[in-house]
Every structure is written in structure tokens, then in C-alpha cells.
Amino acid sequence: MTGNIQHPSRHSVVCSICSVPLPLETSKTDEEGNGVHEECYVRKTVSVSRRANVPQVPGNWFTQVVVRLRAGAGRPR
């Protein structure tokens, strides 16, 4: 009997971060269970952490400073 037997590819998973094929032998999973390269996951985690530590400045910060300066709040006593 001859038939097409499909062997699973060594790269049957792609990284959910960079979309590059991922060898099953070295794949890791993220918190959602998706396959990822370890390097991609670390890079993404560090990037998210850095953005979370950046202080949030209100969109109208410049206006607030100008109003305070005009009101004399910025003058030394």
C-alpha cells in the first residue's frame, strides 16, 4: 500500500512574538500557552517592564506649568 505519510515537521510551531519557525526541542511557552523563542520572550518581558516603570505625564502638563508660573507658584519665597 502506497500512501502519503506526513511526518511532523521539526519546525511545526512558529514563535507567537516574531513569527519565525520554532524547533519543538527548544521551544518555550508564554503565559498564554503559545510557543515562543526564549530570547523573544525575555526581550518582550523586559520591554513591557521598562514601559511600566516610565512615569505617566498628563497630556496637558505644559499648560499646567505655564498657569502655575503665571500665578506665581514658581517664584521662590
Side-chain angles (χ1 to χ4, degrees):
M1 176 174 194
T2 59
N4 291 337
I5 300 174
Q6 294 182 352
H7 296 284
S9 170
R10 203 175 147 222
H11 298 286
S12 59
V13 176
V14 294
C15 177
S16 65
I17 297 171
C18 71
S19 301
V20 172
L22 180 64
L24 293 175
E25 298 84 13
T26 60
S27 67
K28 306 292 182 194
T29 54
D30 64 8
E31 59 276 355
E32 296 174 5
N34 298 317
V36 294
H37 294 107
E38 184 174 7
E39 297 83 14
C40 292
Y41 184 75
V42 169
R43 194 175 319 117
K44 178 182 172 184
T45 304
V46 168
S47 175
V48 168
S49 175
R50 285 183 180 162
R51 282 192 304 246
N53 292 330
V54 173
Q56 298 299 315
V57 178
N60 61 348
W61 68 271
F62 185 75
T63 304
Q64 291 177 4
V65 169
V66 170
V67 168
R68 288 182 184 170
L69 288 174
R70 288 184 180 162
R75 294 183 188 151
R77 295 180 185 202

